[in-house]
Amino acid sequence: MTSSPLRAVDTPPRDGDDSDSPLSGTNQHRRNPLLGHDGSGWIIVVGIGADGMDGIGERAHRAITSADVVVGSWRQLQLVPDNCQATKKPWPSPLVPHIAELFDSLADRRVVVLASGDPMFFGIGTTLARILGPDAFTVIPAVSSASLACARLGWGLNTTPVVSLLTKPVEILGPLCDDGIPFLVLCRDSHSPADICDYLCSHGLGDARVDLLSDLGSSHETHTVSTARQPEALDAQSNLCIVAVTPTEVGLSRAPGRPDETYANDGQLTKSDIRALTLAALAPHPGEILWDIGGGSGSVSVEWCRLARGAESYVIEHVHERAARITTNSLGYPVTVVHGKAPEALDDLPFPDAVFIGGGLTHPGVVDRAWEALRPGGRFVANAVTVESEQMVLQLQEKWGGSLTRFEVSHHSALGSFHAWRPALPIIRFVTTKPVV
């Protein structure tokens, strides 16, 4: 947060520091960056499980009992013993916009933040690192719910995919269901198991095994097993639950070029064969951002996100019906639909690592604006169908270099009582990389 007054400060230990305390000693160079030059106070993020204080170590216990303020959810704050003198402060709502303000107000206090399990595993720790910076706090983790679940199931934690419904829709399960391997789902509340089962049934996985593990690590831990078509047998009651899904079959591959009928469309669709070639040129990497200009059905964006972990896409589409269709097609994927016309709709979007123009190539200002925003080393890909757009990519290749490739695809189909090859319109693909200056 560049506009925030918060900053990291390295200071010597204060007079009277107890080298045995978790709030001092070996961590003296990780002073709370929200504090003044005197370096008073700390932020310690303590992971705590469903078993409360009984399940944490001595260092975490001392951190809590030595704190001036303990921040957490109401449920977590209730786990703090009554003899703890710290002020108990619940998280503000909404949380993220008020985090910097909250810790600014606690700048002269010793602060402990309570987190569920491992704070850096789908937890508050990652949010604090993003907003305050990783040097703003020290983490004392507990065992994550995923670790406990894998221990109960006999699964390898290192080979088990995990997703969270805390901030994501249930449609995020789609790619994992397609992979056909067991996975874990961190639930939002006690309604999540039924939502997961409904989703599995709607995608032909009603026979998938579903394990519900609730209150893991506590004295009232439960483990029930059923199938997706019988969610009532799970008897979900606790909000602290995790679901393990074992699919019964493999779905669509993550390879680019999914069948065209996978996407709702009005004909404005980058066809499967060309889509695969387009994605090969875009070459997504983990965490990268795509601008998909003239999104049509959103198929390129969806497959961009399927190919690389953490990849995101911003789809620009000015036709309202198509923008709504893209939203439906991309449910569960990190695709942001921008309803508007380029280049104006490109303002304020995060800079892209790759740009794909499938429509609007000849619209004034689109190419120049996209090229200007593209990060150095980023890929620029455009598909031309019309004579006018073909002339445009010829000019771009002459100006920026890169490659031009013409694709002509024909499909075998019936012709009366015989068969013939029906050609699709030829596509000219322009690919170039923005120089790194």
Side-chain angles (χ1 to χ4, degrees), residues 9-348:
V9 179
D10 287 341
T11 62
R14 288 181 296 133
D15 291 339
D17 266 350
D18 180 0
S19 61
D20 232 5
S21 169
L23 305 178
S24 61
T26 58
N27 292 319
Q28 62 182 321
H29 295 298
R30 299 200 59 172
R31 290 288 184 192
N32 183 349
L34 311 183
L35 308 178
H37 287 285
D38 64 351
S40 57
W42 285 88
I43 298 176
I44 302 253
V45 183
V46 174
I48 191 167
D51 51 355
M53 297 289 287
D54 291 340
I56 65 175
E58 181 182 353
R59 183 171 176 236
H61 194 281
R62 291 201 315 263
I64 294 173
T65 56
S66 302
D68 296 322
V69 180
V70 177
V71 181
S73 69
W74 279 116
R75 178 188 64 80
Q76 292 162 341
L77 292 175
Q78 290 171 358
L79 300 174
V80 177
D82 294 336
N83 62 359
C84 177
Q85 300 301 309
T87 300
K88 299 176 184 178
K89 192 173 187 63
W91 288 112
S93 181
L95 171 62
V96 172
H98 294 100
I99 282 181
E101 178 185 354
L102 169 65
F103 288 103
D104 261 337
S105 71
L106 302 175
D108 59 344
R109 316 293 295 278
R110 292 173 178 255
V111 180
V112 165
V113 172
L114 297 183
S116 295
D118 186 342
M120 306 309 293
F121 185 76
F122 291 101
I124 189 63
T126 57
T127 302
L128 295 180
R130 186 176 71 250
I131 295 175
L132 306 181
D135 291 331
F137 55 90
T138 298
V139 176
I140 306 176
V143 180
S144 71
S145 58
S147 293
L148 291 171
C150 284
R152 305 298 185 266
L153 297 165
W155 293 2
L157 180 62
N158 62 313
T159 57
T160 301
V162 184
V163 294
S164 172
L165 297 187
L166 294 177
T167 59
K168 300 292 184 181
V170 71
E171 287 81 9
I172 196 175
L173 305 183
L176 294 175
C177 291
D178 284 345
D179 289 344
I181 61 175
F183 60 90
L184 297 177
V185 187
L186 307 183
C187 295
R188 180 183 299 108
D189 51 38
S190 61
H191 301 291
S192 295
D195 295 338
I196 294 167
C197 290
D198 287 345
Y199 181 85
L200 294 172
C201 289
S202 68
H203 286 71
L205 293 173
D207 292 328
R209 171 175 166 146
V210 178
D211 291 67
L212 175 63
L213 303 104
S214 302
D215 300 304
L216 287 169
S218 73
S219 60
H220 49 282
E221 174 182 317
T222 61
H223 181 184
T224 54
V225 182
S226 185
T227 62
R229 67 176 78 257
Q230 294 180 305
E232 64 280 355
L234 296 173
D235 191 28
Q237 296 184 18
S238 173
N239 289 327
L240 299 178
C241 55
I242 186 167
V243 166
V245 177
T246 306
T248 51
E249 57 187 71
V250 177
L252 292 172
S253 168
R254 295 195 186 221
R258 299 169 82 191
D260 292 341
E261 56 269 22
T262 305
Y263 304 99
N265 68 87
D266 60 359
Q268 291 298 311
L269 170 77
T270 302
K271 301 300 190 291
S272 175
D273 304 290
I274 301 301
R275 192 184 324 127
L277 295 165
T278 299
L279 267 300
L282 287 169
H285 291 83
E288 287 192 330
I289 293 174
L290 171 71
W291 280 7
D292 182 357
I293 301 174
S297 69
S299 61
V300 170
S301 285
V302 168
E303 297 187 25
W304 164 274
C305 295
R306 284 172 63 88
L307 286 170
R309 183 181 180 87
E312 303 175 52
S313 179
Y314 290 79
V315 188
I316 295 81
E317 176 55 63
H318 75 279
V319 178
H320 176 76
E321 292 78 7
R322 290 177 186 161
R325 202 174 287 121
I326 294 170
T327 300
T328 300
N329 286 335
S330 61
L331 278 174
Y333 295 96
V335 173
T336 300
V337 181
V338 181
H339 182 209
K341 281 190 174 183
E344 294 79 12
L346 303 176
D347 294 342
D348 301 323

Side-chain angles (χ1 to χ4, degrees), residues 383-402:
N383 288 348
V385 179
T386 66
V387 172
E388 291 77 11
S389 59
E390 182 177 342
Q391 292 173 344
M392 170 70 80
V393 295
L394 287 169
Q395 294 170 5
L396 293 178
Q397 195 272 340
E398 187 173 321
K399 179 180 179 181
W400 293 334

